[in-house]
């Protein structure tokens, strides 16, 4: 049900955004009577969502009481599950990181073992932050594969054997869990942390595979079934001999992903198994690795040029393992995008490396959880319970 303007959820949205710091601000912005505003604010205070302090500056008379989110009794977690790692960030309701950790973990070990590890790390971080388990309100999880967002079930993820249709949220008791594709939460984290004023943004993850998160009008665009942005399986002409793990050939990630570059370097007699090995070779000055990375950038640029013409983003952010050699990767991407896209679409376009780096997915997953919890619908349910 869509909340009415001026509901408790709407009031909290104004407070959490910093748009209103006093009851007078709320009355002015909503047009509601002061008595109604007092009812809304008192309900939020009673539920432990807002606190009011006498810290405002006086302009004569009694200082105004300041409203802010009550951070102490609320905790949220963002979980970044990669093919070989688990990164967890514990955050308060304002999005500040309280504690974080990273472990080597193979997602191919299956959901039971991986999620048991996540659950243990949540308890560990809550202990470090001095918060009880009951303070954990919501958890966001990013996984390296397609997800049906409404149910939190992975959908035939190629590098996640045993995860297909697994009900991830059901594993955790007493806390709401949201599951999304990792590049979607990367896009959300990057947008909120570094490009909050940008309405249209593409976040391109270039790692073992290649994916794209789409921010449209400042909101994540997932598509009808949650598969929007799966650019790694767009066909690249002239590479029909490159087989892809999806069963097709000539997919972008099969010719320009980290695994594909590593495979080509191996064929040239160099020791490379992963995207991290490719990065190490580039950083050591290996000219063959540098050439292949720049060539991969050009191929990625061909696909992005079409997306620029179609979507007209303001910013394209490049993240993932290969972004650590972004000066070479971005050179190839920019070269093709600016040559192949319409001048009007690229007039104010910025193509830039990720500013949140390795923390993008964990931060984004935590923000996903916080924004869900603070949504007007959810807050109204809490207040009216």
């Amino acid at each position: 049900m869509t909340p009415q303007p001026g509901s408790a959820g709407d009031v909290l949205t104004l407070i959490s955004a910093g748009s209103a710091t006093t009851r007078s601000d709320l009355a002015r912005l909503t047009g509601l009577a002061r008595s109604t505003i007092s009812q809304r604010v008192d309900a939020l205070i009673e539920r432990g969502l807002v606190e009011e302090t006498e810290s405002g500056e006086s302009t004569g008379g009694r200082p105004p009481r300041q409203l802010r989110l009550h951070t102490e009794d609320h905790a949220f977690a963002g979980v970044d599950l990669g093919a070989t790692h688990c990164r967890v960030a514990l955050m308060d309701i304002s999005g500040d990181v309280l504690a974080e950790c990273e472990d080597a973990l193979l997602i191919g070990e299956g959901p039971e073992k991986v999620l048991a590890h996540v659950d243990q790390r949540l308890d560990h971080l809550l202990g470090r932050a001095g918060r009880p388990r009951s303070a954990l309100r919501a958890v966001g999880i990013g996984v390296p594969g397609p997800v049906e967002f409404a149910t939190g079930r992975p959908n035939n993820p190629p590098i996640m054997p045993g995860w297909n249709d697994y009900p991830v949220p059901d594993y955790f008791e007493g806390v709401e869990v949201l599951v999304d594709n990792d590049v979607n939460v990367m896009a959300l984290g990057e947008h909120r942390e570094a490009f909050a004023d940008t309405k249209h943004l593409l976040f391109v993850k270039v790692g073992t595979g290649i994916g794209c998160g789409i921010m449209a009008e400042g909101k994540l665009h997932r598509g009808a079934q949650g598969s929007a942005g799966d650019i790694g399986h767009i066909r690249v002409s002239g590479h029909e001999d490159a087989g892809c793990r999806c069963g097709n050939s000539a997919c972008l990630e099969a010719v320009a992903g980290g695994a594909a570059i590593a495979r080509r370097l191996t064929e040239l007699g160099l020791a490379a198994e992963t995207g991290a090995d490719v990065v190490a070779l580039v950083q050591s000055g290996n000219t063959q690795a540098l050439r292949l990375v720049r060539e991969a950038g050009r191929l990625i640029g061909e696909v992005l040029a079409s997306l620029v013409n179609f979507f007209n983003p303001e910013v394209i952010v490049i993240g993932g393992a290969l972004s650590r050699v972004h000066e070479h990767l971005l050179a190839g991407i920019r070269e093709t995008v600016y040559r192949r896209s319409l001048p009007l679409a690229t007039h104010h376009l910025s193509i830039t490396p990720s500013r949140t780096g390795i923390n993008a997915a964990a931060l984004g997953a935590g923000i996903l959880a916080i924004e869900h919890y603070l949504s007007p619908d959810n807050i109204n349910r809490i207040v009216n319970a």
Side-chain angles (χ1 to χ4, degrees):
M1 181 179 68
T2 302
Q4 295 298 312
S7 68
D10 293 324
V11 166
L12 187 66
T13 296
L14 292 171
I15 295 171
S16 63
S19 302
T21 58
T22 66
R23 298 186 186 221
S24 295
D25 289 342
L26 290 168
R28 174 175 51 82
L29 290 170
T30 64
L32 296 174
R34 285 181 175 270
S35 59
T36 304
I37 289 297
S38 290
Q39 290 174 356
R40 303 284 191 266
V41 171
D42 290 345
L44 293 170
I45 292 173
E46 183 181 350
R47 294 295 182 183
L49 295 163
V50 168
E51 60 185 1
E52 195 170 26
T53 59
E54 292 185 0
S55 57
E57 294 183 4
S58 174
T59 57
R62 186 175 181 177
R65 294 172 64 82
Q66 300 289 294
L67 298 167
R68 69 178 183 91
L69 292 175
H70 182 69
T71 61
E72 285 75 12
D73 297 329
H74 300 83
F76 301 83
V79 181
D80 167 22
L81 291 178
T84 59
H85 75 266
C86 169
R87 187 176 293 109
V88 184
L90 185 71
M91 305 162 75
D92 67 19
I93 200 169
S94 66
D96 291 336
V97 176
L98 302 172
E100 56 191 337
C101 64
E102 180 177 353
D103 304 300
L105 184 66
L106 296 176
I107 200 158
E109 292 184 350
E112 296 289 338
K113 186 169 183 178
V114 170
L115 296 178
H117 178 87
V118 170
D119 203 39
Q120 292 170 1
R121 299 311 271 168
L122 290 174
D123 283 335
H124 170 71
L125 293 180
L126 285 164
R128 278 174 50 186
R131 305 284 175 101
R133 181 74 182 218
S134 60
L136 187 63
R137 307 296 179 181
V139 177
I141 301 178
V143 299
V147 176
E148 185 180 60
F149 180 72
T151 64
R153 294 171 180 257
N155 186 263
N156 291 313
I159 63 170
M160 298 172 63
W163 288 78
N164 182 48
D165 206 35
Y166 186 88
V168 177
D170 294 350
Y171 184 88
F172 300 88
E173 296 182 0
V175 63
E176 194 158 9
V177 176
L178 299 95
V179 186
D180 207 342
N181 177 262
D182 58 357
V183 74
N184 281 347
V185 295
M186 286 177 173
L188 183 63
E190 187 78 21
H191 182 269
R192 299 295 192 260
E193 293 290 318
F195 296 97
D197 295 328
T198 299
K199 289 187 176 181
H200 299 93
L201 174 148
L202 298 178
F203 186 101
V204 181
K205 175 193 173 187
V206 187
T208 300
I210 300 173
C212 180
I214 305 166
M215 300 297 299
E217 292 293 338
K219 299 179 180 179
L220 265 175
H221 174 73
R222 297 184 177 89
Q225 274 74 46
S227 63
D230 198 358
I231 66 171
H233 299 288
I234 292 178
R235 186 177 180 82
V236 180
S237 61
H239 295 272
E240 285 68 21
D241 59 338
C244 182
R245 60 188 176 182
C246 72
N248 293 318
S249 61
C251 292
L252 178 63
E253 75 171 43
V255 296
I261 299 172
R263 186 167 56 252
R264 292 182 65 185
L265 288 169
T266 300
E267 292 169 356
L268 293 172
L270 297 169
E273 295 183 4
T274 66
D277 296 330
V278 175
V279 169
L281 285 168
V282 171
Q283 291 175 336
S284 71
N286 184 278
T287 56
Q288 292 173 313
L290 192 156
R291 175 179 60 82
L292 290 178
V293 165
R294 186 171 291 236
E295 181 182 319
R298 293 191 188 101
L299 292 170
I300 295 168
E302 285 188 20
V303 170
L304 292 181
S306 298
L307 298 184
V308 167
N309 289 336
F310 178 78
F311 181 63
N312 190 198
E314 300 158 75
V315 177
I316 297 176
V317 179
I318 308 299
L322 289 190
S323 68
R324 285 179 286 170
V325 289
H326 59 78
E327 63 271 23
H328 306 293
L329 185 68
L330 264 66
I333 291 173
R334 288 173 176 146
E335 174 188 332
T336 308
V337 168
Y338 289 119
R339 176 169 50 87
R340 298 287 297 273
S341 300
L342 295 172
L344 180 61
T346 58
H347 186 58
H348 295 292
L349 175 65
S350 172
I351 304 175
T352 182
S354 170
R355 297 180 188 176
T356 54
I358 63 172
N359 296 317
L363 287 174
I367 291 168
L368 179 70
I370 293 170
E371 291 188 352
H372 168 77
Y373 185 79
L374 292 179
S375 67
D377 278 346
N378 192 55
I379 293 302
N380 289 335
R381 280 193 293 269
I382 293 172
V383 169
N384 295 327

